[in-house]
Amino acid sequence: METKDLTYFKTLVAKLPLLKKEIAKVIVGQQEAIDEILISLLAGGHCLLEGVPGLAKTLMVKTISEALEMSFKRVQFTPDLMPGDIVGTEILEEDHETGKKFFKFNKGPIFANIVLADEINRTPPKTQAALLEAMQEYKVTYAGTNYDLPKPFLIIATQNPIEQAGTYPLPEAQLDRFLLYIKLGYPSETEELQVLKSTTGVGKKDLKNIMSDEEILALQQLTRQVHISEELIVKINQIVRSTRPASTTAAFVKQWCDWGAGPRAGQALVLCAKARAVLNERFSVLPEDIHTLAFPILRHRIALNFRADAEGITTDDVIKEILK
């Protein structure tokens, strides 16, 4: 990096604490989830957010988009939602001068910087799959024509862990495309008290735009340049390979798991560890980055067997044992 570049990047990185402070004006607590969403954005991936109703998942995503000066669209996934309702559709229009009729592509809500796919497991696989190309290729193909999506582009999908009647669980191939699987817990007693005080009055918090989309793109570029030692890359590789019953030496993995994480998990762990370093105003990855992010990166990439289910073992339990 040139000196000029370094100064510019340092200025950008210094804005990240200000961004978190701005988000905290509206969202009380949930710091870990906010950090993980920002890590996903810096790493250029997408995340799956799971939590019971009423934990401000939608408000959290909307607040982040406002503080980032990025376009935001929300899609409520329902059983009758069609792929065209997400990506867009062609409409027949008429040229008023010539009288000729032509088809024009009307862009759907996927054409935004941040897209909230609310309750993604409420819609059938055909509609869930409409997100696949967008998540992987950052473009939409309709009637043989490619339409580029705006950059930066982040899909945050939510799902409710309690009510599973009438839901369509995400297939493993689509789960693997989510960089992080973030679990939201209940707030602490102090945080909940603060929520009650701050949300039942007449005051409304005005948010400042802390960063532009160009600045986020620059930080995504910086994230890939963050230093990670050979030793830590080897460690990441060992962690990922330890989740696979066929190649692990851990007896509990063979006992509880049907299959483990693929190579995409290793790539995600390297990139997200770099992004966490940037978020914490560092230019080098530490072991704690890997240990913290192993959970949201691996928990949706490990398949447990019936024995684990019967014993009440979760994927987080398996990851804990591997990290030991």
Side-chain angles (χ1 to χ4, degrees):
M1 271 189 267
E2 293 174 15
T3 317
K4 184 188 167 190
D5 285 345
L6 194 60
T7 312
Y8 172 63
F9 282 132
K10 278 184 175 174
T11 311
L12 285 188
V13 170
K15 282 187 173 187
L16 288 167
L18 299 175
L19 174 65
K20 285 158 74 169
K21 200 174 172 185
E22 202 64 23
I23 294 164
K25 282 184 184 176
V26 177
I27 304 297
V28 177
Q30 303 293 11
Q31 199 51 60
E32 195 179 318
I34 290 166
D35 282 358
E36 286 171 1
I37 290 172
L38 294 176
I39 284 166
S40 190
L41 181 65
L42 292 176
H46 312 282
C47 44
L48 184 61
L49 201 55
E50 184 181 274
V52 297
L55 293 181
K57 295 187 289 290
T58 305
L59 182 63
M60 186 187 294
V61 179
K62 194 169 185 290
T63 303
I64 290 170
S65 69
E66 281 176 20
L68 285 170
E69 201 181 345
M70 285 159 72
S71 58
F72 168 76
K73 291 278 172 69
R74 175 179 178 266
V75 185
Q76 181 63 51
F77 279 64
T78 56
D80 60 348
L81 194 77
M82 297 299 285
D85 298 327
I86 299 169
V87 299
T89 186
E90 280 186 333
I91 53 172
L92 190 62
E93 291 206 345
E94 188 178 331
D95 189 322
H96 296 298
E97 289 179 13
T98 61
K100 283 186 178 175
K101 292 185 178 176
F102 61 96
F103 282 104
K104 183 189 171 190
F105 181 64
N106 199 21
K107 290 179 177 179
I110 195 91
F111 288 88
N113 294 117
I114 296 182
V115 180
L116 177 64
D118 222 350
E119 293 198 285
I120 191 172
N121 55 340
R122 291 241 162 260
T123 204
K126 180 182 178 182
T127 309
Q128 289 174 5
L131 293 176
L132 284 178
E133 184 189 25
M135 288 168 74
Q136 195 69 25
E137 308 293 334
Y138 293 86
K139 65 180 170 90
V140 162
T141 306
Y142 194 95
T145 308
N146 289 334
Y147 299 92
D148 289 327
L149 291 162
K151 286 182 182 175
F153 178 65
L154 171 68
I155 286 180
I156 300 174
T158 70
Q159 62 181 23
N160 173 359
I162 303 168
E163 196 189 343
Q164 294 304 319
T167 61
Y168 304 84
L170 291 169
E172 277 67 26
Q174 188 160 343
L175 272 175
D176 194 38
R177 279 176 167 80
F178 285 103
L179 196 64
L180 300 177
Y181 181 4
I182 303 166
K183 289 195 173 184
L184 276 184
Y186 287 111
S188 67
E189 188 177 350
T190 316
E191 288 167 353
E192 197 159 356
L193 196 61
Q194 201 180 329
V195 168
L196 296 179
K197 287 176 182 175
S198 63
T199 57
T200 52
V202 289
K204 188 177 183 285
K205 298 280 193 302
D206 289 321
L207 291 183
K208 290 183 207 154
N209 296 135
I210 303 296
M211 298 178 101
S212 66
D213 47 3
E214 286 87 2
E215 288 174 323
I216 288 292
L217 288 172
L219 281 174
Q220 286 181 346
Q221 182 193 338
L222 170 68
T223 296
R224 289 184 169 265
Q225 296 175 58
V226 167
H227 175 261
I228 180 167
S229 68
E230 183 72 26
E231 186 189 336
L232 288 181
I233 291 179
V234 169
K235 182 186 173 79
I236 286 170
N237 196 37
Q238 287 170 345
I239 289 170
V240 173
R241 291 183 66 80
S242 296
T243 65
R244 301 171 194 161
S247 60
T248 189
T249 53
F252 61 87
V253 172
K254 292 180 189 288
Q255 186 181 335
W256 292 332
C257 301
D258 269 345
W259 71 83
R264 196 182 265 149
Q267 294 170 323
L269 202 39
V270 172
L271 263 178
C272 288
K274 289 182 174 190
R276 189 176 186 271
V278 171
L279 195 63
N280 288 288
E281 300 178 80
R282 285 186 272 107
F283 295 96
S284 184
V285 173
L286 299 177
E288 71 178 67
D289 297 322
I290 295 162
H291 281 254
T292 306
L293 289 163
F295 293 93
I297 283 167
L298 294 173
R299 64 167 57 115
H300 57 303
R301 293 182 163 104
I302 297 172
L304 299 177
N305 56 27
F306 288 117
R307 183 173 182 172
D309 285 341
E311 291 177 25
I313 301 296
T314 65
T315 49
D316 280 19
D317 294 328
V318 175
I319 298 161
K320 246 181 234 165
E321 288 297 323
I322 288 169
L323 292 176
K324 279 180 190 173

